[in-house]
Amino acid sequence: MPTNETHNLKVVLRVRPLLRRESKQTKRNVIRIVDENTIIFDPTDGEMNADYDISRGYASFARKNLNLSFDRVFGSEATNFDIFEYAMRPLVSAVLNGYNCSAFVYGVTGAGKTYTMLGTDRHRGVVYSTVDELFKQIEPLSDKSSFDVRISYVEVYNEQVRNLLTKSGPLKLREHSTGVVIDGVAPHPICCCDDVIGLLSFGNHNRAQHPTDANYKSSRSHAIFQVHVVSTNKKSGLSRVVKLSMIDLAGSERGSNASHMDQRFKEGTCINKSLLALGNCIKKLAEGSKHIPYRDSNMTRILKDSLGGNCKTVMIANVSPAERSYNETYNTLIYASSARQIRTAAATKTQLQTNLPKEYYANNLAAQISETEQLQERIQSLEKQVSSQAKVIENYESAQHGLVKLVKKIETLKRKIDRSYHDLLSTRQRK
């Protein structure tokens, strides 16, 4: 049964190392890590560079020596596995104990969000490690319970929701008693962690990415990766549905830093709008407001149960220590610090049910119906193409048959001409 206990949203701060080009431009870090929980922003022991751009607001002395605390601070030497160990491994255990859980990375373009979530071939991100750990923890439980594990992967791009695993969209959002439902998204079954690698790779290939001044390969959409787990007790037949959400938020950019090409400008506007909506939700939650403006963007609508809902949540804030990112880093730190003040109703376990909730079947049925309709439309389109091609082939074969008959007629006529010629020659010779 739910209790009146409340808990804070756990906030992890990751300070990435200076990039090579940043090290050449300046050796001054605007973040000093004091201990595993505390940082100082803009410490006074560093002198401002001569090329400090006051017009861009760098020289804000009110921000100097700003002391901020987080649940955990990771410096430049931390690995993705370190982040997983602290932030994600406990969520896996919580999911298998019946809790809905979520984690999302926040920060500006180039702060290392996608690297943290997805990593590289050599350094796997927290998504891979988390799913791997999920199957490891499922194995010893398989004697008593059976598990159905499925994933979904969607993006919010220019305020439109798209399914990254089927390249379909835009998709509609529907409010439901169990939360926000995305029409046309049917979770894909997986049997092991290796299944995730291929699906993630396919989904990321479909994700909207474009170069910006801040990052040569910047994610221009918010990607939401969800793991749906249905566990069924083999003896009692009772089932439970839980969800683990991992969200890679797109990085924001100031207009002065971004290319003003029409498409990139539109992308930046939509990204900043949704991140502003997220910031407003965080602020209202921290203030304990009764009305939280989740409906201000599609992204915050989807994340409704990942922020203030009945959910265990971790926020991984990524920042750059470079002086050139002064304002962007400051804004991320303030958002993350505000998020740490959020107090939500204590997360409660999903109750075991003899049958899965009707909503679960309804949601999946709606998604399957929508996907089936899309496939039927595709099949009809292909049938038309095949029919058109068949007519072309039929016309070609008919023309070819007519050509063969014509060739035969020509050959017959040629033989007749040859015979007439030979007869003429023979007649002349006899004369």
Side-chain angles (χ1 to χ4, degrees), residues 221-282:
S221 67
H222 308 294
I224 302 170
F225 180 85
Q226 294 183 313
V227 184
H228 310 260
V229 182
V230 181
S231 59
T232 304
N233 187 288
K234 293 181 178 179
K235 183 177 292 186
S236 66
L238 300 179
S239 297
R240 180 162 53 201
V241 183
V242 289
K243 178 178 66 176
L244 171 61
S245 303
M246 290 172 274
I247 304 102
D248 178 16
L249 298 172
S252 62
E253 283 187 80
R254 295 183 303 181
S256 59
N257 284 345
S259 169
H260 282 273
M261 294 170 59
D262 290 344
Q263 184 63 20
R264 300 295 83 78
F265 185 71
K266 179 182 178 182
E267 288 173 355
T269 300
C270 289
I271 289 171
N272 288 333
K273 175 188 173 183
S274 56
L275 291 179
L276 177 61
L278 174 63
N280 289 335
C281 288
I282 289 175

Side-chain angles (χ1 to χ4, degrees), residues 89-244:
R89 189 188 291 275
L91 292 188
V92 175
S93 300
V95 164
L96 293 180
N97 280 324
Y99 294 95
N100 287 325
C101 299
S102 63
F104 61 95
V105 289
Y106 181 82
V108 300
T109 295
K113 302 181 304 302
T114 301
Y115 175 78
T116 297
M117 288 295 275
L118 303 177
T120 63
D121 291 338
R122 292 184 57 190
H123 305 286
R124 297 292 187 185
V126 297
V127 170
Y128 176 89
S129 298
T130 299
V131 177
D132 186 45
E133 179 64 19
L134 175 66
F135 280 104
K136 286 180 180 178
Q137 292 193 26
I138 280 177
E139 188 174 355
L141 303 175
S142 58
D143 290 340
K144 296 181 179 180
S145 298
S146 61
F147 292 87
D148 179 18
V149 183
R150 297 170 181 261
I151 65 168
S152 60
Y153 198 20
V154 302
E155 71 172 351
V156 181
Y157 174 67
N158 287 348
E159 281 302 300
Q160 293 185 339
V161 182
R162 306 195 299 198
N163 190 343
L164 292 174
L165 298 182
T166 60
K167 296 196 293 186
S168 58
L171 307 175
K172 294 181 180 180
L173 302 181
R174 291 190 296 107
E175 296 288 343
H176 203 276
S177 58
T178 57
V180 174
V181 177
I182 307 174
D183 285 340
V185 175
H188 192 288
I190 59 172
C191 299
C192 62
C193 188
D194 289 341
D195 293 343
V196 175
I197 298 176
L199 292 170
L200 269 178
S201 177
F202 180 77
N204 292 332
H205 179 73
N206 296 329
R207 191 176 175 188
Q209 293 180 327
H210 299 293
T212 67
D213 289 348
N215 191 352
Y216 81 98
K217 191 178 181 182
S218 176
S219 300
R220 311 308 291 156
S221 67
H222 308 294
I224 302 170
F225 180 85
Q226 294 183 313
V227 184
H228 310 260
V229 182
V230 181
S231 59
T232 304
N233 187 288
K234 293 181 178 179
K235 183 177 292 186
S236 66
L238 300 179
S239 297
R240 180 162 53 201
V241 183
V242 289
K243 178 178 66 176
L244 171 61

Side-chain angles (χ1 to χ4, degrees), residues 18-29 49 51 322-324:
L18 285 172
L19 303 178
R20 184 176 301 175
R21 68 174 184 272
E22 293 171 336
S23 298
K24 293 179 179 179
Q25 293 171 352
T26 176
K27 295 186 180 298
R28 178 177 184 266
N29 287 10
N49 285 349
D51 60 351
E323 191 175 77
R324 69 192 299 268

Side-chain angles (χ1 to χ4, degrees), residues 366-403:
Q368 292 283 3
I369 290 174
S370 178
E371 187 171 354
T372 299
E373 290 175 348
Q374 293 176 17
L375 290 173
Q376 287 176 340
E377 290 177 0
R378 179 62 177 161
I379 289 172
Q380 291 175 357
S381 175
L382 290 173
E383 286 177 344
K384 289 180 181 179
Q385 292 180 25
V386 170
S387 177
S388 176
Q389 291 175 356
K391 289 181 179 179
V392 172
I393 293 173
E394 183 180 350
N395 292 336
Y396 172 77
E397 290 178 344
S398 177
Q400 190 177 38
H401 181 68
L403 181 62

